[in-house]
Amino acid sequence: MFYREALNLAMDEIMEEDSSVVILGEDVGFYGGNYRVTEGLYAKYGEKRVIDTPIAENSIVGVAIGMALGGLRPIAEIMTANFAMLAMDQIVNNMAKLRYMSGGKIVLPMVVRMPQGVVKQLASQHSQSLESLFASIPGLRVFTASDCITAYHGLKTAIKLDDPVIFLEHTLLYFEKFDLPKDSYYNPFKARVLKEGKDITIFSYLKMVHDVLKVVDKIEKTLNVSAEVIDVGSLNPLDLETLTNSVKKTKRFVVVEENPKHGGFGAHIVSSVLEECFYNLDAPPLRIAGEDVPIPYNRKLELLAIPTPEKIYSKIVEWGKQNGL
Amino acid sequence: MEQSLAEKFYYFMKLGRVFELRAKEEYMKGNIGGFLHLAIGEEAVHVGATIAFDKGDIFVHYRDHVYALAKGINPKYLMAELFGKKTGISKGKGGSMHFYEPSLNFYGGNAIVGAHIPHSVGMAYARKYKGENTGVLVAFGDGATNAGNFYESLNLASLWKLPILFLCENNYYAIGTRIDKASAITDLYLKAKPYMLSKQIDGMDVFEVYKAVREAKEYIQEESKPYFIEAITYRYEPHSMSDAGNYRSARELEIAKSKDPIEKLKNSGLLSESYIKYIDNLVEKEIEEVVEFAKNSPEPENIELYTDVLCEVCKNVLP
């Protein structure tokens, strides 16, 4: 099924069983969602539960906070992470802090869902990966979804949790198809080992997971190694146990991320793993990240700004050769 | 009826004032840290509105002490919070600007100007959705009416027909900037007029505040529509304890103090001399005990640093 359908299914199933779950956001209702994630829910649950809002992001999150205070479990959709910048006061100063500032008296069971990432020629105000902003705020959980399994189970868990969750999707994944087996299981607090290997660990999340998987065979053949591929999944909390266990085994690791390298989330992964595994390593870690530039409109320049399967392949091969593989 | 109300108002206004004067004293001694925003002079709005809005949900700004007291929260826990103690209303993690007691429908206490206004809209939505008709009151200062949150919230409350009372305390100053330097419209009730019924009242008269909020509460509950009240008031103290307050003249302050809400109530003829004396003594004694309680309360344990960040048990929700 489509990734957007897995998200839709997660919300549909939970709304069916729990009338306190409501959705709010721009165009989520009658229109069906700009990426069709909420399609059909308005017809099924009505305008009281699938609530169209004005273009006022700060209030979308602020109102969701109030709804959570009033005993609802709101899912706020922000059309893109770029627009979440208008809601940063509510996300950072309120959603993340009310529980702590009230000594635990206030509990906010709410999710703010949003897609992010570099799309196709939308230019810099519509093409950003902002996960490191959200993941650096104590008091927020930050989940990412890379396929239907993580989208479906991850979102369901996010909605059921009593914590405020930032749920990050990737715009380019909405119309991608992935399997959602009936007996699938996913715990969003655990990183997923997508492919086992013994010589290199490659960490990534969201769309980059697929760009890695596209070239991993070729990397293995060229370097004559076996690579472990891990979808980091939750950025806060980070499942450091799974990450370090893998690195202790393979002794070499790479992080592939779409966000700009400077202050990017990969820096946190590298430093966290190094603190635990410095003496286990046979090579310095490699970061393959976005360039430190706003994303340009021109397609050729846009592709230069972010990791692509070709770049992931060539950078890992070059690094492997330099480090005795 | 009027007399018993007057007695109630007097108790809470006096309690608020003595609480805050003692808090100021303890702040000067270094027992209270951070920011301390006092509402001295504004008690009629805080007390009159809170008592009129009994049982409803109340959201207020960072100048939250007197609202919390009038809502019936034990002053011991509030003072202990100012002292940063374990027994504080927020376990010493929130301080002056963050009093919360959801069990009494009191939701803060917010230190970002206007940020709580959309929260109150969401609460009103939730209440209406669940068929609970208690109403929501949100109080904010004149400064908040120049921010986007304010207009976004008026729009939503009106659009969604929510039972919410917007209570604007116009004390003429946003920190140290006078209203006519910051707002193109200085009669603030006019800002809400296109969205909902709105009026301006004398916020130095506790009966007028009480009556207006009572009527507004009935209206929002019966009609399921929002309502806006601008209460004209004045704070005698600077914006906070770190503000020298030299943007106002002594003359201006003197005029404001001549309209003191507590004195006005005393002179209303509704309270006996003996009652006033009785309450004055009672409150002084009560606050003395409150300060002792705060002083003698323990510091939070170190482990508290890490609690209340996120929920600790997640197993029950995993697939």
Side-chain angles (χ1 to χ4, degrees):
Chain A
M1 68 168 66
F2 287 114
Y3 175 87
R4 65 170 177 84
E5 290 174 324
L7 296 163
N8 184 286
L9 184 65
M11 292 191 282
D12 190 2
E13 285 181 10
I14 289 195
M15 290 183 87
E16 181 93 52
E17 67 193 42
D18 183 353
S19 66
S20 68
V21 178
V22 299
I23 296 172
L24 68 159
E26 293 153 13
D27 294 322
V28 297
F30 185 70
Y31 185 92
N34 269 275
Y35 297 102
R36 295 169 63 189
V37 175
T38 54
E39 196 172 64
L41 300 177
Y42 180 84
K44 192 163 171 188
Y45 299 105
E47 61 175 9
K48 296 264 181 295
R49 294 187 67 192
V50 186
I51 308 154
D52 282 317
T53 66
I55 301 173
E57 285 80 8
N58 201 43
S59 286
I60 294 171
V61 180
V63 164
I65 290 170
M67 288 172 165
L69 287 171
L72 301 182
R73 302 185 88 86
I75 307 165
E77 177 179 294
I78 299 291
M79 200 183 291
T80 86
N82 308 286
F83 306 160
M85 299 304 97
L86 290 147
M88 281 308 253
D89 170 57
Q90 291 296 348
I91 293 171
V92 177
N93 287 323
N94 289 278
M95 185 175 159
K97 307 287 197 294
L98 284 173
R99 185 176 189 130
Y100 198 76
M101 293 193 304
S102 67
K105 284 188 170 154
I106 284 180
V107 176
L108 293 178
M110 62 183 288
V111 180
V112 177
R113 283 183 43 241
M114 64 185 94
Q116 63 157 31
V118 176
V119 196
K120 273 181 189 159
Q121 293 195 266
L122 295 184
S124 54
Q125 287 180 330
H126 274 67
S127 275
Q128 294 183 79
S129 299
L130 296 165
E131 63 270 30
S132 54
L133 293 186
F134 302 112
S136 66
I137 306 300
L140 296 176
R141 298 229 187 258
V142 182
F143 290 172
T144 66
S146 58
D147 59 16
C148 285
I149 294 174
T150 49
Y152 172 80
H153 292 294
L155 185 54
K156 270 195 142 177
T157 305
I159 298 165
K160 288 182 190 170
L161 271 180
D162 282 339
D163 286 329
V165 182
I166 299 289
F167 195 85
L168 295 177
E169 298 155 16
H170 196 291
T171 317
L172 285 184
L173 294 177
Y174 284 137
F175 298 94
E176 291 288 320
K177 278 189 171 172
F178 306 100
D179 289 338
L180 178 60
K182 264 211 150 50
D183 57 351
S184 62
Y185 175 87
Y186 169 62
N187 172 353
F189 294 101
K190 298 299 284 178
R192 279 191 313 165
V193 180
L194 297 176
K195 177 188 168 312
E196 290 196 30
K198 55 183 179 40
D199 304 308
I200 304 173
T201 302
I202 305 172
F203 297 120
S204 59
Y205 49 91
L206 285 167
K207 178 179 164 283
M208 286 297 118
V209 167
H210 306 290
D211 289 3
V212 168
L213 290 173
K214 275 179 197 152
V215 292
V216 71
D217 284 353
K218 217 168 116 192
I219 292 168
E220 287 182 317
K221 276 185 197 130
T222 308
L223 290 175
N224 193 25
V225 294
S226 84
E228 185 142 298
V229 179
I230 293 184
D231 180 357
V232 172
S234 166
L235 306 187
N236 191 2
L238 186 64
D239 174 16
L240 202 53
E241 196 188 352
T242 302
L243 273 54
T244 54
N245 282 345
S246 175
V247 171
K248 281 173 185 167
K249 180 176 69 175
T250 62
K251 305 190 188 323
R252 296 170 192 87
F253 75 103
V254 179
V255 182
V256 184
E257 59 197 312
E258 197 178 71
N259 63 187
K261 192 167 186 181
H262 190 108
F265 191 74
H268 180 64
I269 297 180
V270 168
S271 61
S272 303
V273 171
L274 275 184
E275 279 177 331
E276 300 288 320
C277 301
F278 186 76
Y279 292 109
N280 299 95
L281 290 182
D282 282 349
L286 172 68
R287 273 181 77 198
I288 302 173
E291 298 298 322
D292 292 322
V293 296
I295 301 299
Y297 165 72
N298 175 277
R299 182 63 176 158
K300 186 187 77 173
L301 296 180
E302 184 180 59
L303 287 172
L304 281 175
I306 52 170
T308 56
E310 298 70 35
K311 274 191 246 181
I312 294 166
Y313 168 77
S314 59
K315 287 193 174 179
I316 292 179
V317 167
E318 188 190 346
W319 165 83
K321 285 183 175 163
Q322 277 171 4
N323 290 288
L325 281 173
Chain B
M1 175 63 186
E2 243 194 0
Q3 193 195 339
S4 69
L5 257 182
E7 288 178 354
K8 200 171 177 185
F9 292 153
Y10 188 73
Y11 169 71
F12 280 110
M13 284 162 73
K14 189 77 191 181
L15 182 72
R17 181 151 311 177
V18 176
F19 179 96
E20 291 207 314
L21 286 170
R22 267 317 287 276
K24 182 181 174 184
E25 207 180 306
E26 296 300 325
Y27 188 91
M28 306 296 262
K29 287 186 203 161
N31 289 330
I32 295 173
F35 285 139
L36 187 74
H37 307 88
L38 303 175
I40 295 170
E42 300 186 355
E43 293 92 343
V45 183
H46 296 208
V47 170
T50 307
I51 291 175
F53 216 78
D54 60 337
K55 293 194 183 106
D57 300 300
I58 293 190
F59 291 75
V60 304
H61 42 75
Y62 49 84
R63 204 178 299 283
D64 56 358
H65 310 151
V66 183
Y67 281 109
L69 288 166
K71 196 67 179 155
I73 301 174
N74 190 327
K76 279 188 189 169
Y77 306 141
L78 301 179
M79 189 63 85
E81 187 61 32
L82 300 185
F83 276 64
K85 296 298 182 70
K86 181 187 178 175
T87 51
I89 190 81
S90 303
K91 298 190 201 164
K93 294 182 183 182
S96 166
M97 302 185 280
H98 303 291
F99 290 171
Y100 304 89
E101 191 47 87
S103 67
L104 291 173
N105 300 68
F106 190 76
Y107 303 91
N110 199 303
I112 309 292
V113 170
H116 61 303
I117 308 180
H119 302 173
S120 67
V121 172
M123 172 62 88
Y125 191 96
R127 292 295 188 204
K128 189 174 176 178
Y129 180 86
K130 293 183 159 189
E132 296 162 352
N133 187 26
T134 44
V136 177
L137 180 148
V138 57
F140 46 88
D142 44 283
T145 71
N146 299 313
N149 269 319
F150 171 74
Y151 294 96
E152 293 183 12
S153 295
L154 291 184
N155 182 47
L156 286 173
S158 175
L159 184 71
W160 292 343
K161 297 188 172 53
L162 297 176
I164 177 167
L165 170 57
F166 295 95
L167 176 64
C168 175
E169 296 167 26
N170 184 357
N171 65 18
Y172 300 118
Y173 288 91
I175 304 190
T177 300
R178 209 174 61 189
I179 187 165
D180 54 5
K181 290 259 188 191
S183 186
I185 296 166
T186 51
D187 281 322
L188 302 179
Y189 76 104
L190 295 175
K191 292 186 174 183
K193 264 231 144 47
Y195 300 93
M196 62 193 70
L197 282 183
S198 77
K199 71 193 277 194
Q200 192 178 56
I201 63 166
D202 174 8
M204 300 305 266
D205 181 335
V206 67
F207 272 101
E208 186 169 337
V209 174
Y210 176 84
K211 208 169 139 260
V213 171
R214 202 79 193 161
E215 282 169 12
K217 187 173 190 253
E218 278 165 25
Y219 170 85
I220 64 173
Q221 286 175 304
E222 277 164 26
E223 305 285 325
S224 190
K225 277 184 188 167
Y227 194 102
F228 186 98
I229 292 175
E230 175 195 5
I232 303 293
T233 185
Y234 204 86
R235 59 170 153 83
Y236 302 168
E237 298 291 324
H239 166 70
S240 79
M241 292 299 291
S242 58
D243 164 11
N246 49 14
Y247 43 85
R248 308 186 293 194
S249 68
R251 176 79 188 130
E252 184 179 321
L253 262 171
E254 198 184 306
I255 293 169
K257 286 183 180 176
S258 72
K259 297 172 191 162
D260 186 77
I262 296 179
E263 289 306 314
K264 186 167 185 170
L265 181 59
K266 271 167 122 172
N267 298 331
S268 67
L270 290 161
L271 300 171
S272 68
E273 284 290 328
S274 60
Y275 181 80
I276 292 170
K277 213 170 157 190
Y278 165 70
I279 292 297
D280 288 356
N281 283 332
L282 182 82
V283 165
E284 288 290 347
K285 207 169 143 254
E286 195 178 349
I287 294 302
E288 207 52 56
E289 285 167 15
V290 158
V291 172
E292 280 309 300
F293 173 80
K295 269 187 189 156
N296 297 329
S297 285
E299 296 280 334
E301 275 101 34
N302 289 354
I303 188 69
E304 283 297 335
L305 180 63
Y306 304 103
T307 61
D308 309 316
V309 180
L310 291 159
C311 68
E312 277 137 57
V313 182
C314 307
K315 287 196 177 92
N316 55 327
V317 299
L318 293 173

